[in-house]
């Protein structure tokens, strides 16, 4: 994994000093080869040992190894970017005014997907897939824009003949939870994980013996704290119009991977999916 991807993915879980070091490296990645650990420490007014410990915490032997890895990552990214720019120039040559915009967005989505994939361990995804496959019922909820992703995910689960209960209203969901039993699973979609109502519903389900899976950004938040398992999304951009697009793309990719894992785990998953899709097709296009 690229060290820059790893730093961005883990930044929200770092201490205050570690975040300062992380931000310095991210902001000066192309110049880091010219900085010694002491110069980084002087620039941030911290001890040199803090820089060394930061490097080791990321899995490197020391700062020189981190610096070398960052340099290689920057060089690789530049090579890809130069190729992308050449391709974009070729497209613009045929009068596509949105080529550069589309190329930049595509690169951002790919980076967000890579970061998100890196922070969701395969063992965690496998455990979540196993919990869904063995659950008597799966509750799915999300408020506002999170509800769009929740509804789409609930539909996919239903296509696998998984008993799915979807609500975008916490009051209605609370009523449905009266039927919850041991082993039920609830997916709670919340980008920032701060809705008190969803945290309370999560506690209610756990009291009934169910398991909660939170779907949030890779940050410390109340919803994640009340969950038995978490799906985490890492997507960052300084432009307010772009960051939500990267978040949705990374989240959708993560859910698609989980869905495919479910299809493989359920023995006749492909047959169930095909039959249900065909049935729906006849309803839409008789």
């Amino acid at each position: 994994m690229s060290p820059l991807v790893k730093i961005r993915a883990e930044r929200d879980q770092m201490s205050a000093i570690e975040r300062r070091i992380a931000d310095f490296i991210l902001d000066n990645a192309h110049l880091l080869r010219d900085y010694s650990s002491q110069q980084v420490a002087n620039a941030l007014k911290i001890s040199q040992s803090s820089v060394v410990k930061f490097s080791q915490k990321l899995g490197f032997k020391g700062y020189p190894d981190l610096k070398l890895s960052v340099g290689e990552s920057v060089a690789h990214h530049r090579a890809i970017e130069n190729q992308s720019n050449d391709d974009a120039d070729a497209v613009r040559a045929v009068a596509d005014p949105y080529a550069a915009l589309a190329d930049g967005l595509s690169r951002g989505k790919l980076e967000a997907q890579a970061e998100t994939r890196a922070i969701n361990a395969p063992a965690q995804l496998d455990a979540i897939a196993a919990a869904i496959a063995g659950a008597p019922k799966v509750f799915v909820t999300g408020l506002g824009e999170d509800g769009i992703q929740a509804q789409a995910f609930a539909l996919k689960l239903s296509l696998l003949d998984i008993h799915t209960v979807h609500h975008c209203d916490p009051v209605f969901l609370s009523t449905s939870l009266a039927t919850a039993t041991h082993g039920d699973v609830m997916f709670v979609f919340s980008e920032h994980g701060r809705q008190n109502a969803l945290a309370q519903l999560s506690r209610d389900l756990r009291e009934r013996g169910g398991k909660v899976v939170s779907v949030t950004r890779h940050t410390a938040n109340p919803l994640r704290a009340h969950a038995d398992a978490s799906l985490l999304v890492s997507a960052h951009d300084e432009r307010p119009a772009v960051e939500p697009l990267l978040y949705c793309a990374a989240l959708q990719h993560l859910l698609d991977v989980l869905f495919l894992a479910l299809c493989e785990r359920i023995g006749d998953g492909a047959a169930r999916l095909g039959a249900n899709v065909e049935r729906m097709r006849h309803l839409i296009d008789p």
Side-chain angles (χ1 to χ4, degrees), residues 120-144:
N120 290 276
Q124 176 81 326
L125 289 176
D126 192 55
I128 292 173
I132 296 173
K137 292 187 297 297
V138 178
F139 297 91
V140 182
T141 189
L143 308 182

Side-chain angles (χ1 to χ4, degrees), residues 214-242:
S214 64
V215 186
T216 71
R217 279 189 174 273
H218 186 227
T219 58
N221 59 75
L223 186 58
R224 184 179 172 189
H226 288 100
D228 298 282
S230 297
L231 291 177
L232 304 171
V233 179
S234 179
H236 306 281
D237 196 284
E238 294 179 354
R239 294 166 292 179
V242 174

